[in-house]
Amino acid sequence: MTTMTQTSARFREFKMPDVGEGLTEAEILKWFVQPGDTVTDGQVVCEVETAKAAVELPIPFDGVVHELRFSEGTTVDVGQVIITVDVAPGSGEEAPVPAPVQEPVEASAPAADEPKGRTPVLVGYGVAESSTKRRPRKGAAAPEAAAVAAAVQAELNGHGAPAPAAPVAPAAPAAPEAPVGRPLAKPPVRKLAKDLGIDLATVVPTGKDGIITREDVHAAATPAAAVAAVASETVEPVAAAVEVVDATASARETRIPVKGVRKAIAQAMVGSAFTAPHVTEFVTVDVTRTMKLVAELKEDKEMAGVRVNPLLIIAKALLVAIKRNPEVNAAWDEANQEIVQKHYVNLGIAAATPRGLIVPNIKDAHEKTLPQLAAALGELVTTARDGKTSPAAMAGGTVTITNVGVFGVDTGTPILNPGESAILAVGAIKLQPWVHKGKVKPRQVTTLALSFDHRLVDGELGSKVLADVAAILEQPKRLITWA
């Protein structure tokens, strides 16, 4: 989609692009440029987090950064302008200049002879000649108001000191300019206030130049009784003591906005769990020979430079099992009432990252040799841990492996990745007593769990796939005889 517009011959706008598959919003994690910085075509200007991954956005033209429309931490809809660039600095064309942030009152009253159009005065805001499009700016909050807000919030968090007696009066934040326009707040903050039922006119702003932040709205959403307890504790110490208990209790919980990767995980798991009828089967298997093979491969010069671990052999075993039972590699097309057979395997590997669970996949994993598969696994894991996995790397998976064994867990009942037919969970490999050749011996044992979509995978087919994986791990030579 087009991600830039042109407001004049000199200034160009760059919009939030759809960096995934039909995504509608993204959060700005970090700006790499500031107003006044020179940028070149293809230079990364910011990092955003979508519902799937963190992505760096390059600017598609040269120039000097004129304005950043949104601050870090703001969720922006796809198609909104996030940055404007002066592509012809010094050309002589008259252009709007951001007003000094130290003088917000002056910036709120544009001169009568100013040219029509948007005059950027602050990140994410601007004024126009017509008052029907932009409201006059509100004056900065009084220092006393900020002190009250900080003291109240600190007490609610359970670790602050009582607010000083002098700035107790709640009417202190009111400014003479307040009645002439709405309080300053960015669209996401206004939406948050609306969702929580908070009137922004009653919120004490603590942001720069009197901007109301998310924290301000959350503070205002705290029960009024708790706020009153902090503000009046010097007047009614007995009543305050009772109310402070409630305020302290509120600090025992933390509310985290559901967005980005976590929001996508929740939607995908709920959709999968209540759309595809899951069946999970289990098998416990002796993997002693597989562990010996792993040790031998680590010494093999053909595997030099790549990571060899049990997951590599398990992945190869699943690929062989799919080759022997190709019907399992399919998808259910609800709209057309069809079962779509996949003649390729994009093998997903569930990865835990600081931003949450993601499932990148190895494209055409069925065509890779063991060294190639090892290299692909290593690259996939490294990229995921660095938070650099692209949306394309997570699209198009057909089956998935989740290795819960790394957390010391024996097994689980994994939920299908949406659009896939099966997911294999691998438990911890432990030394256990096992009957081997008629005698009880200590052997390396693990439990496998295979969840599959019962709409297109019958019990017989699912059982065959799981049994084949187990048989290969018990006798790894089957990787040769069955492949």
Side-chain angles (χ1 to χ4, degrees):
M1 63 174 288
T2 301
T3 59
M4 57 182 176
T5 58
Q6 187 167 331
T7 56
S8 70
R10 178 174 173 181
F11 291 89
R12 302 181 74 175
E13 297 175 336
F14 179 62
K15 298 180 179 180
M16 176 67 74
D18 178 1
V19 294
E21 298 178 337
L23 298 176
T24 60
E25 62 182 17
E27 178 186 354
I28 297 177
L29 295 179
K30 183 177 181 61
W31 282 108
F32 298 116
V33 296
Q34 293 298 324
D37 291 351
T38 300
V39 294
T40 57
D41 186 358
Q43 177 180 338
V44 173
V45 294
C46 67
E47 181 182 29
V48 300
E49 182 182 47
T50 70
K52 295 184 177 181
V55 180
E56 294 180 340
L57 297 184
I59 197 78
F61 36 78
D62 301 334
V64 175
V65 177
H66 180 64
E67 180 186 15
L68 306 181
R69 296 286 181 89
F70 297 95
S71 60
E72 295 176 355
T74 304
T75 299
V76 182
D77 291 336
V78 169
Q80 282 191 284
V81 177
I82 60 175
I83 182 174
T84 57
V85 174
D86 183 351
V87 296
S91 64
E93 177 184 341
E94 186 175 352
V97 179
V101 295
Q102 294 84 356
E103 302 176 3
V105 177
E106 293 182 11
S108 65
D113 58 350
E114 270 188 330
K116 293 183 179 181
R118 191 174 188 279
T119 304
V121 295
L122 189 66
V123 174
Y125 294 92
V127 295
E129 187 173 351
S130 173
S131 61
T132 61
K133 295 182 179 179
R134 301 288 179 187
R135 272 76 50 193
R137 295 183 49 147
K138 183 177 177 180
E144 293 80 2
V148 172
V152 170
Q153 187 61 43
E155 189 65 32
L156 293 176
N157 290 339
H159 56 72
V168 163
E177 298 86 356
V180 300
R182 292 195 303 173
L184 278 178
K186 297 179 182 178
V189 178
R190 293 188 184 279
K191 183 178 184 302
L192 174 63
K194 181 179 179 181
D195 293 341
L196 297 178
I198 301 299
D199 183 359
L200 287 177
T202 66
V203 178
V204 178
T206 61
K208 191 174 182 180
D209 297 314
I211 296 178
I212 296 175
T213 66
R214 287 177 177 270
E215 292 72 19
D216 298 334
V217 175
H218 283 300
T222 305
V227 177
V230 178
S232 61
E233 60 183 356
T234 59
V235 180
E236 300 178 16
V238 176
V242 176
E243 296 299 333
V244 167
V245 173
D246 295 335
T248 303
S250 68
R252 291 159 63 91
E253 299 178 356
T254 301
R255 290 183 175 270
I256 303 173
V258 179
K259 57 185 180 179
V261 175
R262 176 53 55 191
K263 183 177 181 180
I265 293 171
Q267 294 173 340
M269 293 300 97
V270 170
S272 177
F274 293 98
T275 300
H278 285 55
V279 173
T280 305
E281 295 185 338
F282 307 89
V283 63
T284 301
V285 59
D286 176 5
V287 295
T288 303
R289 290 187 177 91
T290 290
M291 297 306 290
K292 289 181 180 179
L293 175 61
V294 169
E296 293 172 0
L297 289 174
K298 288 181 178 179
E299 303 299 325
D300 193 321
K301 63 179 182 179
E302 296 296 331
M303 303 297 290
V306 297
R307 185 177 181 182
V308 178
N309 55 23
L311 179 60
L312 172 62
I313 307 302
I314 294 169
K316 193 65 175 178
L318 179 58
L319 292 171
V320 172
I322 292 173
K323 183 177 181 180
R324 286 167 53 84
N325 304 276
E327 297 86 359
V328 76
N329 190 38
W332 183 271
D333 187 341
E334 181 67 28
N336 297 313
Q337 288 295 294
E338 295 175 340
I339 294 176
V340 183
Q341 292 282 350
K342 307 292 181 67
H343 303 301
Y344 58 91
V345 181
N346 290 344
L347 181 62
I349 304 295
T353 73
R355 293 192 175 96
L357 175 70
I358 62 173
V359 189
N361 59 76
I362 300 173
K363 309 298 184 187
D364 295 323
H366 64 291
E367 296 180 346
K368 297 187 182 298
T369 63
L370 197 62
Q372 291 172 340
L373 187 62
L377 276 171
E379 182 180 357
L380 179 148
V381 172
T382 300
T383 303
R385 288 177 178 172
D386 291 342
K388 302 298 183 182
T389 303
S390 67
M394 292 182 281
T398 60
V399 295
T400 292
I401 296 176
T402 177
N403 185 10
V404 297
V406 296
F407 305 109
V409 176
D410 291 335
T411 189
T413 55
I415 297 178
L416 292 169
N417 205 29
E420 298 182 9
S421 59
I423 178 171
L424 178 70
V426 182
I429 298 175
K430 299 178 179 179
L431 195 64
Q432 297 182 16
W434 192 265
V435 178
H436 178 66
K437 296 181 179 180
K439 296 181 180 180
V440 176
K441 297 181 180 180
R443 303 287 287 182
Q444 298 283 353
V445 177
T446 190
T447 300
L448 306 175
L450 182 72
S451 291
F452 50 87
D453 186 343
H454 214 346
R455 293 176 299 180
L456 51 92
V457 179
D458 294 332
E460 179 187 9
L461 177 59
S463 298
K464 285 182 177 180
V465 172
L466 183 59
D468 280 357
V469 174
I472 292 172
L473 297 181
E474 188 174 19
Q475 294 283 353
K477 65 182 181 182
R478 292 190 172 104
L479 286 173
I480 301 174
T481 57
W482 286 359

